[in-house]
Amino acid sequence: MILRIQNGHIIDPANGIDRIADLWVRDGVIAAIGESDCGPADQTIDAGGCIVCPGLIDMHVHLREPGQEWKEDIASGSRAAVAGGVTSMCCMPNTGPHIDHAGIALQIIARAKQVGLCNVYPIGAVTKNLDGKELTEMRELSRAGCVAFSDDGMPIWHAGVMRKSLEYAASFGFMIIQHAEEKMLTGNGAINEGWVSTQLGVAGMPAVGEDSMIARDIMLAELSGARYHVAHISTKGAVELVRQARGKGLKVTTEAAPHHFALTEEAVLGYNADAKMSPPLRTEEDRLAVIEGLRDGTIDVIATDHAPHHEDDKRCGLSCAAFGIVGLETMLPLSLQLVRDQVLEMPRLLATMTCNPARLLGLKAGTLSIGAEADICIFDPEKKWTLDRKKLFSKGKNTPWHGMEMTGQVTHTIKAGQPVFSHGAIVGEAAYE
Ligand SMILES: [Zn+2]
């Protein structure tokens, strides 16, 4: 099977490729860029006017399976992923049961293969039951396919447990991903602490709740020499802490979610629960600091924190609504704004969603190298479309962008040489239901 992707603007940050050429795929792997001896193609995709890049990687996704399949499952999450150009994603362990033992990781990987649309890499829990007390068997979880460790949804709150987990992880080169939130400071807060929380009369989560835990963790990371990754960074102070740690040569990395550089706390005015997430949307100063972190390379990765919920979990008042929004299908258009605003050039932007997360997680993905598995995203960077929540492939309809115009649309997603998404529709889906 030979696939020819014709006349696209190929951008492969991993290999420094940035030119208009044909891309050839033979038997599921990248065969050639430009001239090829592949012979006639069995299938041709016209990518004129479009960008052809490695399939995107989203290293922070909540797939809800097992345990909360009414919110999302591996099949619906995979469809949302490929509709967003994502061909590899990491799923967080706050499922039911949690990904705190090898059996669950193996089950998720097997189910994702059966669905066959998107690579799914589980993130193992750091502590059993995510309760922050007793470490999981990280080595066993790693052997089962977990690519990093986190208690996301919950912080690893106990400093002693955090120290032990970092020391243990350091001896195997594992990365610990922290949901940085000092619960003693955030309490029952629902949104950012500031004038919006005061105006709405809703309890706030102060920025210092995020910053103080990151400051503590960076000291522990230095002590242990471990790889420490801050999930969904959202404050000016946190970006500065990571910048300083990296300046000292520590193995500290971080990711930003599109909502934290696209929106501020004002999006929750009117008690809008579809703009409620943790960490919350912050101030304009914080938003600009996240953007500056992306620009100067303090922030390596864009990841969505895709957190689908049922409508009932959101339509119960701002204070008690569930935290989180869906993100897989809006990651690319929202991130392209950074190119239009001249914060990042296109290759650097695409690196944050391809080779950078691949490098952090040790994934064989995020590249168009000859011989690599042909996971490819093709998108029209100028195409305008209006987001309709009812048309999302995710079961979760909780997005603050309903009815808004997006610029930039995925036209094709190719997984291991097979088109899995084409012009708005899932194709070649395995019969799994
Ligand atoms: Zn989190």
Side-chain angles (χ1 to χ4, degrees):
M1 159 80 184
I2 295 165
L3 169 68
R4 178 184 190 181
I5 300 168
Q6 219 171 5
N7 290 325
H9 180 173
I10 301 177
I11 300 184
D12 178 18
N15 292 298
I17 296 168
D18 182 359
R19 66 189 169 102
I20 292 172
D22 289 359
L23 178 72
W24 296 80
V25 175
R26 183 167 48 202
D27 299 332
V29 300
I30 307 287
I33 290 173
E35 294 299 308
S36 112
D37 57 4
C38 290
D42 300 297
Q43 191 182 355
T44 301
I45 292 173
D46 177 18
C50 290
I51 289 175
V52 179
C53 70
L56 306 181
I57 299 171
D58 185 350
M59 67 177 281
H60 193 139
V61 173
H62 297 273
L63 284 177
R64 308 298 188 207
E65 181 179 350
Q68 294 187 308
E69 288 85 349
W70 65 91
K71 296 188 179 198
E72 190 82 289
D73 56 35
I74 292 168
S76 62
S78 296
R79 282 186 222 121
V82 298
V86 172
T87 54
S88 294
M89 58 181 160
C90 299
C91 60
M92 286 295 173
N94 60 339
T95 44
H98 308 298
I99 311 176
D100 61 1
H101 56 284
I104 298 296
L106 292 168
Q107 182 192 326
I108 288 169
I109 292 166
R111 177 68 184 139
K113 286 214 169 100
Q114 194 181 19
V115 172
L117 292 171
C118 181
N119 294 310
V120 175
Y121 299 96
I123 306 245
V126 172
T127 66
K128 290 179 185 168
N129 298 316
L130 306 189
D131 63 8
K133 291 177 185 155
E134 194 185 341
L135 296 191
T136 56
E137 297 287 349
M138 282 190 235
R139 183 87 171 107
E140 220 170 280
L141 283 161
S142 162
R143 283 204 187 102
C146 291
V147 294
F149 296 89
S150 182
D151 278 358
D152 186 61
M154 291 296 290
I156 304 155
W157 54 272
H158 189 297
V161 169
M162 187 55 165
R163 178 185 176 182
K164 276 203 195 88
S165 71
L166 287 165
E167 285 172 349
Y168 187 79
S171 57
F172 294 103
F174 299 152
M175 184 167 79
I176 301 287
I177 301 173
Q178 175 70 300
H179 169 112
E181 179 185 346
E182 176 50 74
K183 295 269 187 187
M184 299 295 152
L185 289 167
T186 57
N188 59 354
I191 60 175
N192 185 49
E193 181 183 288
W195 74 268
V196 173
S197 66
T198 305
Q199 179 154 342
L200 296 181
V202 170
M205 305 162 86
V208 73
E210 180 170 337
D211 303 355
S212 59
M213 188 165 279
I214 294 171
R216 176 202 82 175
D217 287 351
I218 287 172
M219 291 180 185
L220 295 172
E222 183 168 17
L223 191 67
S224 57
R227 300 173 60 210
Y228 170 72
H229 182 85
V230 179
H232 41 51
I233 199 163
S234 77
T235 71
K236 183 181 178 182
V239 174
E240 186 51 32
L241 284 164
V242 171
R243 185 178 286 125
Q244 285 168 10
R246 291 171 71 111
K248 283 167 80 176
L250 304 185
K251 293 173 210 156
V252 173
T253 53
T254 186
E255 71 197 23
H259 45 263
H260 286 129
F261 58 77
L263 297 174
T264 67
E265 58 182 345
E266 293 181 36
V268 299
L269 284 170
Y271 298 91
N272 179 13
D274 282 329
K276 175 181 175 180
M277 72 286 288
S278 176
L281 297 172
R282 304 282 191 185
T283 66
E284 178 66 3
E285 206 182 353
D286 295 308
R287 187 183 79 85
L288 294 174
V290 169
I291 289 173
E292 178 56 22
L294 284 158
R295 196 196 61 75
D296 77 4
T298 300
I299 303 170
D300 290 287
V301 169
I302 293 174
T304 63
D305 193 10
H306 177 81
H309 287 292
H310 189 270
E311 204 168 322
D312 294 349
D313 301 313
K314 282 291 195 182
R315 302 279 169 269
C316 51
L318 187 56
S319 293
C320 71
F323 288 104
I325 64 169
V326 291
L328 282 163
E329 293 166 77
T330 47
M331 172 165 75
L332 185 62
L334 294 170
S335 300
L336 287 170
Q337 189 62 38
L338 297 170
V339 175
R340 290 191 288 271
D341 291 343
Q342 300 183 330
V343 175
L344 294 175
E345 291 183 346
M346 189 67 84
R348 274 201 60 209
L349 175 74
L350 294 176
T352 66
M353 295 177 273
T354 58
C355 54
N356 291 358
R359 189 186 65 238
L360 290 187
L361 298 160
L363 306 182
K364 280 192 195 136
T367 166
L368 298 176
S369 300
I370 306 299
E373 192 141 293
D375 294 346
I376 301 164
C377 168
I378 306 175
F379 66 95
D380 179 342
E382 307 298 337
K383 173 85 176 165
K384 293 193 192 303
W385 56 287
T386 301
L387 189 136
D388 177 351
R389 70 168 90 222
K390 292 192 292 296
K391 291 187 179 154
L392 291 173
F393 286 90
S394 171
K395 287 185 190 176
K397 309 302 175 192
N398 45 316
T399 172
W401 287 287
H402 176 62
M404 306 267 190
E405 188 180 78
M406 299 271 148
T407 304
Q409 188 170 47
V410 174
T411 61
H412 299 82
T413 306
I414 292 154
K415 160 83 166 42
Q418 296 294 324
V420 286
F421 178 80
S422 173
H423 293 295
I426 306 292
V427 288
E429 196 169 8
Y432 54 81
E433 279 176 326

